Amino acid sequence: MPDTGNDRDDERLQRLASGASVRKNGWAQTNEEMQLLADERREAGFEVVTATTLHTDTVTPDMGDDPERFGFVHVVPDNHADEVAEVLSTLDVTRYEAYRSTVGENAFLVVELLDESASRALLFASYYDPTEATGMVATARERGVLFTHLKRIDGTHLGTIRHEAIEPLLGPDA
């Protein structure tokens, strides 16, 4: 009997469904981890704001109008954007922590921006495809710095953080 392609289509659909399930589980686990970290900070006396991002892009200098703008661009949902903007406007980031894991083809990331002197923290969760980050990683390694940009769905800039220590964000497999 000739191959009509249906078997291949079925296999492809199964792979896609499996990948979606892996991503969904990884995303749920990442958000749970963010909440556990936030609870630990609160127990230590920190005022904590958390946000789950809607989308993350890995941007290179040649992808926009500003050749100095590169790094992670996280889209913050409208229901968190005002609070994130308010925190970022006064947060003096003295340290950051990044918790990264790879599940399937996706990198899941929780970032803590800490203002230790004021006992304040912003935590956000995101995920991205590391295979699409090679240009960003190369630029970060070349320049020795990486940026985190947060914006609203409509593109309104909420804040930018400069990271001198780039490895925690990129992970060992970058």
Side-chain angles (χ1 to χ4, degrees):
M1 181 176 238
D3 182 6
T4 61
N6 289 339
D7 289 341
R8 285 191 304 258
D9 288 344
D10 287 347
E11 287 175 26
R12 185 177 63 79
L13 289 173
Q14 286 176 341
R15 278 194 318 273
L16 288 172
S18 175
S21 177
V22 167
R23 186 172 46 253
K24 182 179 178 181
N25 291 337
W27 188 228
Q29 185 177 354
T30 300
N31 281 284
E32 288 174 21
E33 181 68 20
M34 178 181 66
Q35 293 305 325
L36 289 171
L37 291 165
D39 290 345
E40 288 176 13
R41 292 289 178 203
R42 287 182 184 107
E43 288 173 14
F46 277 71
E47 175 188 333
V48 179
V49 171
T50 62
T52 298
T53 62
L54 296 173
H55 180 74
T56 298
D57 282 323
T58 55
V59 176
T60 59
D62 62 340
M63 295 174 86
D65 298 335
D66 183 356
E68 295 303 312
R69 186 174 184 271
F70 69 95
F72 290 102
V73 178
H74 304 285
V75 178
V76 178
D78 287 339
N79 62 330
H80 292 285
D82 288 338
E83 189 174 28
V84 168
E86 182 181 326
V87 169
L88 284 172
S89 71
T90 60
L91 195 70
D92 179 20
V93 179
T94 55
R95 188 180 74 160
Y96 88 94
E97 298 288 339
Y99 307 91
R100 186 181 178 282
S101 64
T102 302
V103 180
E105 296 178 3
N106 294 286
F108 294 87
L109 190 62
V110 175
V111 177
E112 284 187 290
L113 302 175
L114 301 165
D115 181 343
E116 294 171 303
S117 62
S119 295
R120 297 176 63 221
L122 171 63
L123 282 74
F124 58 91
S126 67
Y127 74 92
Y128 65 96
D129 181 347
T131 63
E132 296 180 6
T134 56
M136 179 196 74
V137 170
T139 300
R141 292 199 191 293
E142 174 185 305
R143 297 185 184 186
V145 65
L146 184 60
F147 295 92
T148 294
H149 307 279
L150 295 131
K151 68 178 186 176
R152 291 178 180 271
I153 294 171
D154 68 6
T156 303
H157 180 68
L158 300 174
T160 296
I161 297 88
R162 178 185 175 102
H163 305 282
E164 300 289 333
I166 63 176
E167 292 307 320
L169 289 165
L170 301 178
D173 56 345

PDB file of all heavy atoms in Angstrom, residues 6 14 19-20 27 31 38 45 48 50 64 67 75 125 127 140 148 151 164 168 171 173:
ATOM      1  N   ASN A   6       0.016  10.199   5.642  1.00  0.00           N
ATOM      2  CA  ASN A   6      -0.768  10.293   6.867  1.00  0.00           C
ATOM      3  C   ASN A   6       0.006   9.813   8.076  1.00  0.00           C
ATOM      4  O   ASN A   6      -0.119  10.368   9.165  1.00  0.00           O
ATOM      5  CB  ASN A   6      -2.078   9.518   6.733  1.00  0.00           C
ATOM      6  CG  ASN A   6      -3.048  10.201   5.785  1.00  0.00           C
ATOM      7  OD1 ASN A   6      -2.932  11.403   5.539  1.00  0.00           O
ATOM      8  ND2 ASN A   6      -3.983   9.446   5.246  1.00  0.00           N
ATOM      9  N   GLN A  14       2.014  14.043  16.798  1.00  0.00           N
ATOM     10  CA  GLN A  14       2.343  13.476  18.104  1.00  0.00           C
ATOM     11  C   GLN A  14       3.559  14.173  18.712  1.00  0.00           C
ATOM     12  O   GLN A  14       3.590  14.454  19.905  1.00  0.00           O
ATOM     13  CB  GLN A  14       2.582  11.969  18.004  1.00  0.00           C
ATOM     14  CG  GLN A  14       1.308  11.181  17.818  1.00  0.00           C
ATOM     15  CD  GLN A  14       1.570   9.696  17.634  1.00  0.00           C
ATOM     16  OE1 GLN A  14       2.661   9.269  17.303  1.00  0.00           O
ATOM     17  NE2 GLN A  14       0.524   8.898  17.850  1.00  0.00           N
ATOM     18  N   GLY A  19       5.723  17.883  22.604  1.00  0.00           N
ATOM     19  CA  GLY A  19       6.492  19.095  22.902  1.00  0.00           C
ATOM     20  C   GLY A  19       5.665  20.114  23.654  1.00  0.00           C
ATOM     21  O   GLY A  19       6.138  20.764  24.586  1.00  0.00           O
ATOM     22  N   ALA A  20       4.403  20.259  23.282  1.00  0.00           N
ATOM     23  CA  ALA A  20       3.518  21.203  23.970  1.00  0.00           C
ATOM     24  C   ALA A  20       3.301  20.765  25.415  1.00  0.00           C
ATOM     25  O   ALA A  20       3.282  21.595  26.325  1.00  0.00           O
ATOM     26  CB  ALA A  20       2.187  21.311  23.234  1.00  0.00           C
ATOM     27  N   TRP A  27       6.687  25.000  32.144  1.00  0.00           N
ATOM     28  CA  TRP A  27       6.208  26.345  32.473  1.00  0.00           C
ATOM     29  C   TRP A  27       5.515  26.347  33.845  1.00  0.00           C
ATOM     30  O   TRP A  27       5.742  27.236  34.659  1.00  0.00           O
ATOM     31  CB  TRP A  27       5.272  26.819  31.371  1.00  0.00           C
ATOM     32  CG  TRP A  27       4.833  28.235  31.457  1.00  0.00           C
ATOM     33  CD1 TRP A  27       3.549  28.680  31.340  1.00  0.00           C
ATOM     34  CD2 TRP A  27       5.620  29.410  31.645  1.00  0.00           C
ATOM     35  NE1 TRP A  27       3.504  30.058  31.453  1.00  0.00           N
ATOM     36  CE2 TRP A  27       4.771  30.524  31.636  1.00  0.00           C
ATOM     37  CE3 TRP A  27       6.985  29.618  31.832  1.00  0.00           C
ATOM     38  CZ2 TRP A  27       5.228  31.827  31.810  1.00  0.00           C
ATOM     39  CZ3 TRP A  27       7.438  30.925  31.994  1.00  0.00           C
ATOM     40  CH2 TRP A  27       6.563  32.003  31.984  1.00  0.00           C
ATOM     41  N   ASN A  31       6.846  28.452  37.183  1.00  0.00           N
ATOM     42  CA  ASN A  31       6.022  29.385  37.945  1.00  0.00           C
ATOM     43  C   ASN A  31       5.896  28.971  39.407  1.00  0.00           C
ATOM     44  O   ASN A  31       5.895  29.819  40.297  1.00  0.00           O
ATOM     45  CB  ASN A  31       4.653  29.557  37.282  1.00  0.00           C
ATOM     46  CG  ASN A  31       4.739  30.496  36.107  1.00  0.00           C
ATOM     47  OD1 ASN A  31       4.818  31.700  36.287  1.00  0.00           O
ATOM     48  ND2 ASN A  31       4.772  29.945  34.912  1.00  0.00           N
ATOM     49  N   ALA A  38       9.758  33.448  45.936  1.00  0.00           N
ATOM     50  CA  ALA A  38       9.132  34.671  46.459  1.00  0.00           C
ATOM     51  C   ALA A  38       8.751  34.479  47.921  1.00  0.00           C
ATOM     52  O   ALA A  38       8.976  35.378  48.754  1.00  0.00           O
ATOM     53  CB  ALA A  38       7.909  35.021  45.622  1.00  0.00           C
ATOM     54  N   GLY A  45      11.915  38.772  55.050  1.00  0.00           N
ATOM     55  CA  GLY A  45      11.607  40.174  55.288  1.00  0.00           C
ATOM     56  C   GLY A  45      11.569  41.056  54.047  1.00  0.00           C
ATOM     57  O   GLY A  45      11.466  42.276  54.154  1.00  0.00           O
ATOM     58  N   VAL A  48       8.070  41.658  47.997  1.00  0.00           N
ATOM     59  CA  VAL A  48       8.296  40.946  46.738  1.00  0.00           C
ATOM     60  C   VAL A  48       7.141  41.177  45.774  1.00  0.00           C
ATOM     61  O   VAL A  48       5.975  41.094  46.149  1.00  0.00           O
ATOM     62  CB  VAL A  48       8.455  39.433  46.980  1.00  0.00           C
ATOM     63  CG1 VAL A  48       8.655  38.687  45.667  1.00  0.00           C
ATOM     64  CG2 VAL A  48       9.604  39.153  47.933  1.00  0.00           C
ATOM     65  N   THR A  50       5.925  39.630  41.980  1.00  0.00           N
ATOM     66  CA  THR A  50       6.183  38.576  41.001  1.00  0.00           C
ATOM     67  C   THR A  50       5.389  38.863  39.726  1.00  0.00           C
ATOM     68  O   THR A  50       4.335  39.499  39.769  1.00  0.00           O
ATOM     69  CB  THR A  50       5.782  37.188  41.522  1.00  0.00           C
ATOM     70  OG1 THR A  50       4.380  37.178  41.787  1.00  0.00           O
ATOM     71  CG2 THR A  50       6.569  36.819  42.758  1.00  0.00           C
ATOM     72  N   GLY A  64      16.875  45.997  15.504  1.00  0.00           N
ATOM     73  CA  GLY A  64      16.065  47.187  15.763  1.00  0.00           C
ATOM     74  C   GLY A  64      16.788  48.445  15.362  1.00  0.00           C
ATOM     75  O   GLY A  64      17.811  48.415  14.669  1.00  0.00           O
ATOM     76  N   PRO A  67      21.495  50.058  17.915  1.00  0.00           N
ATOM     77  CA  PRO A  67      22.497  48.986  17.912  1.00  0.00           C
ATOM     78  C   PRO A  67      23.014  48.633  19.307  1.00  0.00           C
ATOM     79  O   PRO A  67      23.685  47.626  19.481  1.00  0.00           O
ATOM     80  CB  PRO A  67      23.622  49.541  17.039  1.00  0.00           C
ATOM     81  CG  PRO A  67      23.428  51.010  17.051  1.00  0.00           C
ATOM     82  CD  PRO A  67      21.964  51.262  17.254  1.00  0.00           C
ATOM     83  N   VAL A  75       7.838  40.372  27.667  1.00  0.00           N
ATOM     84  CA  VAL A  75       6.549  41.050  27.595  1.00  0.00           C
ATOM     85  C   VAL A  75       5.772  40.727  28.866  1.00  0.00           C
ATOM     86  O   VAL A  75       5.502  39.560  29.164  1.00  0.00           O
ATOM     87  CB  VAL A  75       5.756  40.621  26.348  1.00  0.00           C
ATOM     88  CG1 VAL A  75       4.396  41.307  26.324  1.00  0.00           C
ATOM     89  CG2 VAL A  75       6.549  40.928  25.081  1.00  0.00           C
ATOM     90  N   ALA A 125       9.139  35.139  35.720  1.00  0.00           N
ATOM     91  CA  ALA A 125       9.361  33.851  35.057  1.00  0.00           C
ATOM     92  C   ALA A 125       9.210  34.033  33.556  1.00  0.00           C
ATOM     93  O   ALA A 125       8.372  34.811  33.092  1.00  0.00           O
ATOM     94  CB  ALA A 125       8.350  32.824  35.562  1.00  0.00           C
ATOM     95  N   TYR A 127      10.267  31.915  29.471  1.00  0.00           N
ATOM     96  CA  TYR A 127      10.901  30.820  28.748  1.00  0.00           C
ATOM     97  C   TYR A 127      11.154  31.259  27.317  1.00  0.00           C
ATOM     98  O   TYR A 127      10.525  32.179  26.808  1.00  0.00           O
ATOM     99  CB  TYR A 127      10.101  29.520  28.817  1.00  0.00           C
ATOM    100  CG  TYR A 127       8.856  29.443  27.978  1.00  0.00           C
ATOM    101  CD1 TYR A 127       8.901  28.932  26.680  1.00  0.00           C
ATOM    102  CD2 TYR A 127       7.629  29.859  28.480  1.00  0.00           C
ATOM    103  CE1 TYR A 127       7.757  28.849  25.917  1.00  0.00           C
ATOM    104  CE2 TYR A 127       6.484  29.772  27.716  1.00  0.00           C
ATOM    105  CZ  TYR A 127       6.556  29.273  26.437  1.00  0.00           C
ATOM    106  OH  TYR A 127       5.415  29.193  25.678  1.00  0.00           O
ATOM    107  N   ALA A 140      26.543  39.093  23.741  1.00  0.00           N
ATOM    108  CA  ALA A 140      26.782  39.210  25.180  1.00  0.00           C
ATOM    109  C   ALA A 140      28.204  38.803  25.534  1.00  0.00           C
ATOM    110  O   ALA A 140      28.885  39.480  26.315  1.00  0.00           O
ATOM    111  CB  ALA A 140      25.772  38.365  25.955  1.00  0.00           C
ATOM    112  N   THR A 148      18.394  42.907  30.307  1.00  0.00           N
ATOM    113  CA  THR A 148      17.027  42.433  30.448  1.00  0.00           C
ATOM    114  C   THR A 148      16.139  43.644  30.244  1.00  0.00           C
ATOM    115  O   THR A 148      16.278  44.649  30.952  1.00  0.00           O
ATOM    116  CB  THR A 148      16.778  41.834  31.846  1.00  0.00           C
ATOM    117  OG1 THR A 148      17.562  40.655  31.995  1.00  0.00           O
ATOM    118  CG2 THR A 148      15.317  41.501  32.052  1.00  0.00           C
ATOM    119  N   LYS A 151       8.763  45.037  28.934  1.00  0.00           N
ATOM    120  CA  LYS A 151       7.854  45.950  28.253  1.00  0.00           C
ATOM    121  C   LYS A 151       6.426  45.434  28.355  1.00  0.00           C
ATOM    122  O   LYS A 151       6.189  44.265  28.655  1.00  0.00           O
ATOM    123  CB  LYS A 151       8.255  46.122  26.790  1.00  0.00           C
ATOM    124  CG  LYS A 151       8.066  44.885  25.927  1.00  0.00           C
ATOM    125  CD  LYS A 151       8.440  45.158  24.486  1.00  0.00           C
ATOM    126  CE  LYS A 151       8.113  43.972  23.594  1.00  0.00           C
ATOM    127  NZ  LYS A 151       8.386  44.254  22.190  1.00  0.00           N
ATOM    128  N   GLU A 164      26.247  42.469  34.365  1.00  0.00           N
ATOM    129  CA  GLU A 164      27.672  42.272  34.095  1.00  0.00           C
ATOM    130  C   GLU A 164      28.029  40.789  34.151  1.00  0.00           C
ATOM    131  O   GLU A 164      28.870  40.322  33.403  1.00  0.00           O
ATOM    132  CB  GLU A 164      28.525  43.059  35.091  1.00  0.00           C
ATOM    133  CG  GLU A 164      28.293  44.563  35.075  1.00  0.00           C
ATOM    134  CD  GLU A 164      28.824  45.257  33.834  1.00  0.00           C
ATOM    135  OE1 GLU A 164      29.786  44.738  33.232  1.00  0.00           O
ATOM    136  OE2 GLU A 164      28.283  46.310  33.477  1.00  0.00           O
ATOM    137  N   PRO A 168      24.802  33.327  34.631  1.00  0.00           N
ATOM    138  CA  PRO A 168      23.599  32.805  35.270  1.00  0.00           C
ATOM    139  C   PRO A 168      22.364  32.859  34.356  1.00  0.00           C
ATOM    140  O   PRO A 168      21.500  31.985  34.432  1.00  0.00           O
ATOM    141  CB  PRO A 168      23.413  33.709  36.486  1.00  0.00           C
ATOM    142  CG  PRO A 168      24.792  34.183  36.789  1.00  0.00           C
ATOM    143  CD  PRO A 168      25.456  34.354  35.448  1.00  0.00           C
ATOM    144  N   GLY A 171      23.262  30.159  31.151  1.00  0.00           N
ATOM    145  CA  GLY A 171      23.432  28.757  31.465  1.00  0.00           C
ATOM    146  C   GLY A 171      24.669  28.157  30.833  1.00  0.00           C
ATOM    147  O   GLY A 171      25.273  28.756  29.944  1.00  0.00           O
ATOM    148  N   ASP A 173      25.049  25.662  28.809  1.00  0.00           N
ATOM    149  CA  ASP A 173      24.950  25.105  27.464  1.00  0.00           C
ATOM    150  C   ASP A 173      24.830  26.162  26.372  1.00  0.00           C
ATOM    151  O   ASP A 173      24.650  25.838  25.211  1.00  0.00           O
ATOM    152  CB  ASP A 173      23.774  24.125  27.379  1.00  0.00           C
ATOM    153  CG  ASP A 173      22.455  24.749  27.803  1.00  0.00           C
ATOM    154  OD1 ASP A 173      22.468  25.828  28.425  1.00  0.00           O
ATOM    155  OD2 ASP A 173      21.399  24.152  27.520  1.00  0.00           O
TER     156      ASP A 173
END
